[in-house]
Every structure is written in C-alpha cells, then in structure tokens.
C-alpha cells in the first residue's frame, strides 16, 4: 500500500491520510479552510469546552462552525464530567453537520487538567472509559467517536496502553497519540517508538494516527514509515504552511515535492484573514493574524523588517500594502 492512502474511521471514509490537528487558538474555520485548500485530507476544530457549550456560550458555538470549503470535518471536545460530555456531544450533533467527534484526552495545560479533562484522562483509564462511553452513547452511531491521548503523565507513568485499551473498549473508532508526556508539554522530542508500539497493540482493531514533530513532508514520511501509523496529524508544522499537506502527498507519491512561492502563501493568508474577518470582525481578525502572518513570512528575504511591519498592521489595507511587492511577483 502507498504511504498516501484512504482511511476508514467507523462509518466515515476519507480519501487521504494527512490531517490538520486540533490546535487551541489556531485551527479555527479560517485556518482550516486554507489548510483544506492546501491539501489537508481532514481537519479538526480547536478543542471545544462541553461545560461552556452546555451553559450557552456563543463563543464556543462559533468554534464549531464548518469552513466554507470543508467536505468533512471533526469537532474536538473536552470535559471531565461524563454526563456533561454526553449532553454536550448531543448539542454538537444538533448544531453542526460534523462528520466526527474527537475527545481530547491529552492537553497538558494546567487549567484543563484541573477540570478533570485533557491529560488527566490519559492517566485515568477508568474515567476515560466512562467519558468515551457517554459520548458514544450520545452519537448513537451517527458519527464515529475518536480519542486523542498522550503517552502518559510523566516518564515514570506511561499509561498510553491502558488509555488506548479503555478507549477502544468504550467504542472509540480511532486513536491519535501525541507521544509526549504531560510533563514534557511541547518540549523535548515526541517518542515515535511509542506510536509504533501503539500500532502493534491495536493490531488493526482501530486506525492509529500519529501527532508530534511532523514539521516537514520528510518528517511526515518518516513517521509513516517508522511507525506504520494510518495517518499523520500536522499541528505546528502547518502554521504558516497550509500547503504542507499538498507537498507531503507529492513526496509520498512521487518522491519529491514543489516549493510554494511566497505569493501563493501570502494569498492564502489573506484569504484566511477575510474568512476570520467575517467571523470576528476586521479589527480583531487583523490583530489575530499578526502572529499568523509572521509564520507565513518565514524564509522571506528581509524577514526582520517585514515582521516589524506585520506586528503593527491593524487593517486589511495595511496587510495588502505590506505584501504588495510579493503579490506582484510573477
């Protein structure tokens, strides 16, 4: 089988195996839109609080909206109370047309852990089982329910095997692992050996997806080759590089890939800005896009001066003027 291939997740069939991971504060529908345009097979929303959703948060509801060009997408949810997770999952299915619900059992942020969610669930397989069962009950087979875990709490407490087993037994249709511990956060290296071990442990019961340190097409290829995982999730590797999916597919299918012209990257960024402006207003969108355009500008000659101007931009016209020399290039 080619390294680039279709993926079956429960009753959901996807054409490819290159995914955009759920990234808090980043994978809104504007960014997902340009990633889908850039070749992503499937995208996940940033994680959505079920406590907030069930309490009527409109901001939370906005996080769940489908991007204008997404053929299929996943809503990632989090919470530490099985009853609230079940109620929230029902609301997700009532308010969206998502094709999959993913449960975050890996976030290392202290405030998430204190709520009994995120990485707390990776180290508490019994509670993880209850939460996955509750969400699967709410889904009633309409969409697959999947789980994202970490390797464990710290290097002395690696509980990925117990967490994965609990998730599968509770009805999870696929598992993603970010093979860092909660203690590592996003530091150090992801242990792809654990990813490979999880693939063997699953033994084909459910697809296994890899996340962590896929910063280039070459690294994504190596993850697939070394671990045998079914799909790769790009997170930080896609920031400012929404075409990394297309490049990776090229590499997997032909052995090489084309570089993306800066003009094409900046045009994608401006499209992202336009969608975000429609959702949260031009002023807020322009402020949010400062960090994103800094990522888009990586590798540009004279990047220091360019970024100095980017972090002062406050309107679409400002960005258009800043990027005009690059957009006019053939």
């Amino acid at each position: 089988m080619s390294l680039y291939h279709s993926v079956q997740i429960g009753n959901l069939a996807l054409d490819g195996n290159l995914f955009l991971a759920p990234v808090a504060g980043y994978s809104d529908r504007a960014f997902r839109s340009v990633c889908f345009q850039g070749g992503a097979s499937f995208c996940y929303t940033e994680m959505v609080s079920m406590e907030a959703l069930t309490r009527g948060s409109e901001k939370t509801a906005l996080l769940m909206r489908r991007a204008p060009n997404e053929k299929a997408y996943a809503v990632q949810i989090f919470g530490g109370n099985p009853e609230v997770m079940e109620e929230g999952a029902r609301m997700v299915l009532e308010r969206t047309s998502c094709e999959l619900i993913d449960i975050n059992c890996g976030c290392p942020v202290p405030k998430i852990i204190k709520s009994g969610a995120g990485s707390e669930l990776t180290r508490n397989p019994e509670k993880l089982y209850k939460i996955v069962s509750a969400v699967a009950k709410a889904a009633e087979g309409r969409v697959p329910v999947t789980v994202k875990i970490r390797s464990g709490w710290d290097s002395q407490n690696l509980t990925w095997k117990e967490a994965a087993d609990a998730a599968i037994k509770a009805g999870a249709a696929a598992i993603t692992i970010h093979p860092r511990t909660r203690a590592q956060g996003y530091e150090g290296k992801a242990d792809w050996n654990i990813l490979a071990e999880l693939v063997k442990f699953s033994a084909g019961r459910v697809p296994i997806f890899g996340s962590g340190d896929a910063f280039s097409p070459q690294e994504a290829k190596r993850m697939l080759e070394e671990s045998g995982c079914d799909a790769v999730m790009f997170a930080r590797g896609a920031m400012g590089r929404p075409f990394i999916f297309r490049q990776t597919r090229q590499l997997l299918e032909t052995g090489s890939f084309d570089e993306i012209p800066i003009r094409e990257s900046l045009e994608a960024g401006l499209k992202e800005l336009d969608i975000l402006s429609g959702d949260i207003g031009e002023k807020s969108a322009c402020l949010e896009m400062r960090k994103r355009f800094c990522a888009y500008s990586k590798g540009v000659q004279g990047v220091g001066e360019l970024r100095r101007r980017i972090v002062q931009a406050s309107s679409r016209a400002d960005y258009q003027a800043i990027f005009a020399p690059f957009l006019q290039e053939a």
Side-chain angles (χ1 to χ4, degrees):
M1 179 187 290
S2 168
L3 289 176
Y4 181 79
H5 56 76
S6 60
V7 179
Q8 188 74 36
I9 310 172
N11 59 8
L12 174 63
L14 299 173
D15 292 337
N17 60 340
L18 305 175
F19 302 164
L20 174 67
V23 184
Y26 221 102
S27 53
D28 50 35
R29 76 187 199 119
F31 184 58
R32 297 199 317 274
S33 178
V34 295
C35 285
F36 195 80
Q37 176 188 336
S41 313
F42 195 54
C43 301
Y44 294 65
T45 69
E46 52 191 301
M47 60 182 187
V48 179
S49 167
M50 293 300 93
E51 288 284 353
L53 181 65
T54 55
R55 290 176 184 171
S57 167
E58 288 304 315
K59 182 180 179 181
T60 297
L62 179 62
L63 298 177
M64 304 190 300
R65 294 177 63 189
R66 182 188 292 267
N69 58 337
E70 281 182 310
K71 295 178 182 177
Y73 80 116
V75 173
Q76 190 188 65
I77 66 175
F78 77 94
N81 182 300
E83 290 74 26
V84 173
M85 290 289 278
E86 182 178 343
E87 180 186 356
R90 287 200 175 96
M91 293 178 68
V92 171
L93 293 174
E94 289 169 0
R95 297 187 180 194
T96 77
S97 56
C98 71
E99 282 75 17
L100 182 149
I101 292 178
D102 186 62
I103 305 171
N104 184 304
C105 301
C107 180
V109 175
K111 70 176 183 179
I112 303 297
I113 293 169
K114 286 178 183 177
S115 71
S119 291
E120 176 63 28
L121 296 174
T122 294
R123 75 164 177 176
N124 190 337
E126 295 81 8
K127 187 176 181 183
L128 186 154
Y129 177 89
K130 292 177 181 177
I131 283 180
V132 176
S133 295
V135 175
K137 180 182 176 183
E140 298 179 323
R142 287 178 287 170
V143 301
V145 174
T146 62
V147 171
K148 187 175 184 183
I149 62 174
R150 285 225 166 197
S151 55
W153 191 252
D154 53 36
S155 59
Q156 284 73 47
N157 296 277
L158 299 177
T159 52
W160 61 266
K161 187 177 292 185
E162 294 82 0
D165 194 49
I168 293 170
K169 289 177 178 176
I175 296 172
T176 302
I177 186 166
H178 182 148
R180 282 184 170 90
T181 63
R182 186 280 320 172
Q184 280 182 280
Y186 298 96
E187 302 299 320
K189 285 193 173 183
D191 187 348
W192 291 356
N193 290 325
I194 288 177
L195 170 59
E197 289 180 38
L198 177 55
V199 171
K200 292 177 183 176
F201 178 72
S202 172
R205 288 182 289 171
V206 299
I208 302 297
F209 309 144
S211 179
D213 292 356
F215 294 112
S216 69
Q218 295 92 330
E219 286 167 323
K221 181 175 184 285
R222 189 164 62 83
M223 178 188 283
L224 289 165
E225 289 174 334
E226 293 182 4
S227 71
C229 66
D230 296 283
V232 173
M233 275 198 189
F234 292 92
R236 288 176 289 171
M239 294 178 182
R241 299 181 63 194
F243 299 103
I244 194 171
F245 307 94
R246 186 173 81 195
Q247 292 177 309
T248 302
R249 178 176 180 177
Q250 275 189 312
L251 179 64
L252 297 180
E253 293 185 327
T254 71
S256 64
F257 62 90
D258 299 325
E259 293 299 329
I260 304 300
I262 184 61
R263 175 178 179 175
E264 189 173 352
S265 289
L266 292 175
E267 285 175 346
L270 289 169
K271 182 176 180 180
E272 183 180 349
L273 170 60
D274 289 340
I275 297 170
L276 195 58
S277 295
D279 287 342
I280 64 175
E282 182 179 352
K283 182 177 181 181
S284 296
C286 287
L287 293 176
E288 171 62 29
M289 287 299 296
R290 287 176 177 178
K291 67 179 181 184
R292 303 192 190 188
F293 272 122
C294 282
Y296 275 109
S297 67
K298 186 176 181 180
V300 175
Q301 189 173 6
V303 69
E305 173 61 19
L306 185 63
R307 288 181 176 174
R308 185 190 66 77
R309 296 181 65 194
I310 286 171
V311 298
Q312 295 175 347
S314 57
S315 68
R316 193 190 193 285
D318 288 344
Y319 284 117
Q320 191 74 36
I322 292 167
F323 301 138
F326 304 98
L327 296 173
Q328 290 167 3
E329 291 180 1

